[in-house]
Amino acid sequence: MTIYNFSAGPAVLPKAVLEKAQSELLDYKGSGMSVMELSHRSSWFEDIIKDAENLLRELMAIPDNYKVLFLQGGASLQFTMVPLNLAQGKKALYVSTGSWAKKAISAAKALDNVEVEVIAACENDNFNYIPELPKEVDPSAAYVHITTNNTIEGTAFQTIPDYGDVPIVADMSSNILANDYKVEDFGVIYAGAQKNIGPAGLTVVIIREDLIGDAKIAAPMLDYKIQADNNSLYNTPPTFAIYMAKLVFEWVKEQGGVAGITKKDQEKAGRLYDAIDNSDMFQSPVAKDARSITNIPFVTGDADLDKKFNAEALAAGFENLKGHRSVGGMRASLYNAFPAEGVEALVDFMAKFEQENGGK
Amino acid sequence: MTIYNFSAGPAVLPKAVLEKAQSELLDYKGSGMSVMELSHRSSWFEDIIKDAENLLRELMAIPDNYKVLFLQGGASLQFTMVPLNLAQGKKALYVSTGSWAKKAISAAKALDNVEVEVIAACENDNFNYIPELPKEVDPSAAYVHITTNNTIEGTAFQTIPDYGDVPIVADMSSNILANDYKVEDFGVIYAGAQKNIGPAGLTVVIIREDLIGDAKIAAPMLDYKIQADNNSLYNTPPTFAIYMAKLVFEWVKEQGGVAGITKKDQEKAGRLYDAIDNSDMFQSPVAKDARSITNIPFVTGDADLDKKFNAEALAAGFENLKGHRSVGGMRASLYNAFPAEGVEALVDFMAKFEQENGGK
């Protein structure tokens, strides 16, 4: 049975990347060592981390005045590092568009000397749209934080706000490399790797150099300046995860870069949204103008029927299709590595299920 | 050419473990998914992390009143987390036995509300022995921090101090699972994985439950209580690294557990120390009663000769034998997975080099 893995993360990886990793797992390029066994100070690994950075710079067209950091701790640690580094003694503005945005807000509020203000929110409506943002914000604010794609709720920012000198900080964990956002529209971009980049345990941070300040940070590992000055090698980085990211970046480049992969992502998402919209049984709980192309929740409106669908889908090889417990129903995460044929198979399965269960 | 990898970390892994990981890299136990693609909330991964914990508990005979945490950020992040969680508003005592101990001390000093006191040090003598410790310490101190094995300097504590109610906190990164220390002699043990446990990007913390307090921690990810309450799943953990650790723990068990592997480690180290002690060319810079069995520095006393040795050794397939820049000379890291035949090969090579270069 073919397995299609709709996991929201850690998520499906390109098969070609896994095969490459498998083929050199015991002997990286004739070194006689696994990548996992390479010293992070060796020229072997120096090449890997440099290549990973250069490929990401090329794919995202990252300007020279941005640093690329390979860190640990996930987006969750960035929820603290961002205000700690950028907003001590200042006001930090947040847009609350989902569960993860709320966690970012809560982490910022936990810091004594950061004044947190939520400038837009849509929680009252189960976060099923992107709220309208204010035209202007306090020009003395350290930043405006947004979550470009809301993994659980299935919404995404279609345009990035522009507040002049107040930089946009973005949690891009679930749609980095799956959109045509311009890096220069952001002050900081961060992303946990485990969706579109590689295995869990790696966090990518892209930060405009002038935002790497001299804030007093009592924890060296949480200081962007220390991490940037040491080119992500202040201590031992997650070497194998960085190697996997490099392989994924190479694969994205082969797919036609971000433009090429985004086109495929849009086609995959379009196919599923069409099936949902044309069905009498399935609906999308998300406002049309806010739809994510990477995380697509859908429901029947009947909890028992959702349950039946999920059970039969799982038995048919559709893994991790069950919706997040806070939303219910189903959720198909269609990251870059998710194959188009998996979407076709799901759409066919949905039609069959609808027919068998009293649908048209 | 056979490659022997003497890296101090990330270090050599058991070949059988790498082969196992390779064989199931694309399909974990018939799931149709790579371990890297498993949701961290799936029953597949729940079994992996539980097995890893149970195996470690068995190997180290960890008492029930200790929590085992699988975290990110390396020992370097623990340098901050330990005082942040255990010593705010208190005095924290440190033993300064090497470069890493100094980093731990410096991270603790960076915290405003922790009073750091170094109770013993040996820096004036290049850290080449373990200093005598005071008989008693301030009973109100939060803990006494030691580094059980000093990776760079090649020394190790042969006995663990006992200060009654003042717990011992140990950075055991470079000799966890390579000694017969008793967990109950410690309040906290932490270790970066990349020496005796698995790939870089995973940190193991073993902490006595009564030490997981209610300290005010402004960063959720740095709070032992949050991590413990969530069984290391507060956010997405480094899933593949935890899987690799599980495979390494299984392998250690097959080697006769910690007792079995430690016997082999002692034999490997003994063979190399004998060769050094019986040579007229090579010497150990470390006091005999403080010798590490996992990290063994040695020198000729002549920087040019060291350089020649390192160049010829590298050409002969001995990787990462060059000493740390702060010590010079050579350093052989003989972690659990380092094969005995690699030590034999090195000893033979050293004898040949000595003969060819004017030695006896």
Side-chain angles (χ1 to χ4, degrees), chain B residues 78-355:
Chain B
Q78 294 309 310
F79 295 165
T80 295
M81 284 178 72
V82 163
L84 202 58
N85 281 269
L86 273 67
Q88 287 191 68
K90 293 183 191 164
K91 194 187 266 190
L93 311 180
Y94 281 78
V95 181
S96 180
T97 51
S99 307
W100 290 106
K102 275 176 73 181
K103 280 205 174 185
I105 292 164
S106 151
K109 282 184 175 168
L111 297 170
D112 275 339
N113 58 349
V114 175
E115 188 189 338
V116 174
E117 190 187 323
V118 177
I119 57 168
C122 51
E123 183 164 12
N124 288 344
D125 304 294
N126 293 320
F127 295 121
N128 61 5
Y129 63 98
I130 298 290
E132 199 172 335
L133 301 190
K135 294 266 175 297
E136 288 178 6
V137 298
D138 182 342
S140 72
Y143 57 79
V144 173
H145 181 283
I146 65 172
T147 313
T148 52
N149 186 86
N150 298 283
T151 322
I152 293 176
E153 297 81 7
T155 62
F157 280 77
Q158 311 295 314
T159 52
I160 301 303
D162 177 358
Y163 292 118
D165 287 345
V166 180
I168 303 296
V169 172
D171 176 357
M172 209 179 270
S173 294
S174 51
N175 73 339
I176 192 167
L177 296 175
N179 58 69
D180 59 356
Y181 301 144
K182 304 273 167 287
V183 172
E184 49 268 47
D185 291 344
F186 301 87
V188 183
I189 291 169
Y190 63 88
Q194 65 272 16
K195 295 150 197 297
N196 264 338
I197 292 176
L202 170 65
T203 316
V204 171
V205 176
I206 302 165
I207 180 167
R208 218 174 63 205
E209 281 172 355
D210 62 288
L211 297 172
I212 302 175
D214 285 314
K216 191 184 171 236
I217 316 271
M221 285 288 291
L222 270 48
D223 191 331
Y224 286 140
K225 187 161 169 38
I226 288 177
Q227 297 287 5
D229 286 350
N230 287 280
N231 296 311
S232 310
L233 291 163
Y234 172 69
N235 75 334
T236 314
T239 51
F240 185 73
I242 292 170
Y243 155 77
M244 287 298 297
K246 186 198 90 136
L247 296 186
V248 170
F249 297 156
E250 286 171 349
W251 176 84
V252 172
K253 193 174 166 183
E254 285 163 17
Q255 308 304 305
V258 172
I261 203 93
T262 304
K263 190 165 169 287
K264 288 178 197 178
D265 287 338
Q266 283 163 340
E267 286 165 4
K268 287 185 299 187
R271 187 76 182 90
L272 181 54
Y273 279 122
D274 282 350
I276 294 167
D277 291 343
N278 293 329
S279 145
D280 286 332
M281 179 177 277
F282 301 105
Q283 311 129 46
S284 159
V286 171
K288 275 203 174 181
D289 63 357
R291 285 175 167 180
S292 163
I293 61 165
T294 46
N295 306 93
I296 304 180
F298 57 99
V299 296
T300 65
D302 173 342
D304 288 336
L305 201 56
D306 286 351
K307 204 171 161 185
K308 185 170 188 236
F309 180 89
N310 278 319
E312 293 183 16
L314 185 61
F318 300 100
E319 285 276 348
N320 296 304
L321 199 52
K322 199 177 159 197
H324 191 273
R325 59 189 181 280
S326 64
V327 175
M330 287 68 74
R331 174 179 49 169
S333 292
L334 306 180
Y335 297 120
N336 288 347
F338 191 89
E341 54 271 28
V343 181
E344 291 305 323
L346 174 62
V347 164
D348 290 349
F349 181 84
M350 288 164 68
K352 188 161 153 279
F353 182 88
E354 185 166 350
Q355 215 166 32

Side-chain angles (χ1 to χ4, degrees), chain A residues 3 5 10-13 22 25-26 31 33 37-38 40 72-73 76 110 112 194 200-201 216 218 221 235-237 240, chain B residues 3 5 10-13 22 25-26 31 33 37-38 40 72-73 76 110 112 194 200-201 216 218 221 235-237 240:
Chain A
I3 298 294
N5 181 7
V12 61
L13 288 164
Q22 182 179 46
L25 200 78
L26 271 83
S31 66
M33 296 175 278
E37 301 175 308
L38 297 177
H40 59 301
Q72 297 184 55
S76 293
D112 276 338
Q194 65 272 15
K216 192 185 170 237
M221 286 289 290
N235 74 334
T236 314
F240 185 73
Chain B
I3 297 295
N5 180 6
V12 61
L13 288 162
Q22 183 180 45
L25 200 78
L26 271 84
S31 66
M33 296 175 277
E37 300 175 308
L38 298 176
H40 60 300
Q72 298 184 55
S76 293
D112 275 339
Q194 65 272 16
K216 191 184 171 236
M221 285 288 291
N235 75 334
T236 314
F240 185 73

